[in-house]
Amino acid sequence: QVQLAESGGGLVQAGASLRLSCVASGHPLSVFAMGWFRQAPGKMREFVSGITWTDTTYYADSVKGRFTISRDRGKNTVYLQMNDLKPNDTAVYYCAKDRRTYRPTLADDQNEYDLWGQGTQVTVSS
């Protein structure tokens, strides 16, 4: 039923690291851009990071230098390595697939992502 599944979230102290995984079933990811998004309570869902089908990467200003997105094509999995976590990184993290193949750059509109995971909770304490 779930075609995209995130895992790897947890409760950590500030400064710690986590690696999130997004595993796809039924949809090979190699020719799609993928994005990571997060949503904190009472806030809008926001872009965190993305990777094109050619593996060009993008990062929100708030996470650049700390987070790294990557993919393993053999495992049909996208990762988000999160280092030096801060309390304001606390959110539910979602991965999503671009609806179009071979898009050269990341889509600006979240509506262009047509497949979403159920999310994984990341909580960072002070």
Side-chain angles (χ1 to χ4, degrees), residues 10-117:
L11 172 62
V12 299
Q13 292 236 140
S17 297
L18 286 171
R19 188 176 74 160
L20 306 184
S21 298
C22 175
V23 181
S25 60
H27 288 85
L29 302 180
S30 294
V31 298
F32 294 92
M34 296 290 296
W36 283 98
F37 302 82
R38 67 187 182 188
Q39 187 166 26
K43 295 189 174 70
M44 296 181 63
R45 186 174 60 200
E46 66 176 353
F47 169 78
V48 176
S49 184
I51 185 167
T52 70
W53 80 279
T54 55
D55 291 343
T56 301
T57 58
Y58 299 78
Y59 300 94
D61 288 343
S62 59
V63 307
K64 69 180 189 295
R66 299 188 296 122
F67 290 12
T68 303
I69 189 171
S70 63
R71 74 166 89 221
D72 186 326
R73 295 171 186 272
K75 294 181 177 180
N76 208 29
T77 300
V78 177
Y79 301 98
L80 185 67
Q81 178 68 44
M82 306 187 296
N83 296 329
D84 192 24
L85 283 161
K86 303 175 179 180
N88 61 5
D89 294 319
T90 295
V92 178
Y93 284 70
Y94 300 91
C95 65
K97 179 189 73 67
D98 192 343
R99 66 170 60 247
R100 299 189 184 276
T101 59
Y102 304 111
R103 199 191 296 266
T105 59
L106 283 182
D108 295 329
D109 190 345
Q110 291 185 20
N111 291 325
E112 292 298 310
Y113 296 85
D114 67 345
L115 184 64
W116 295 77

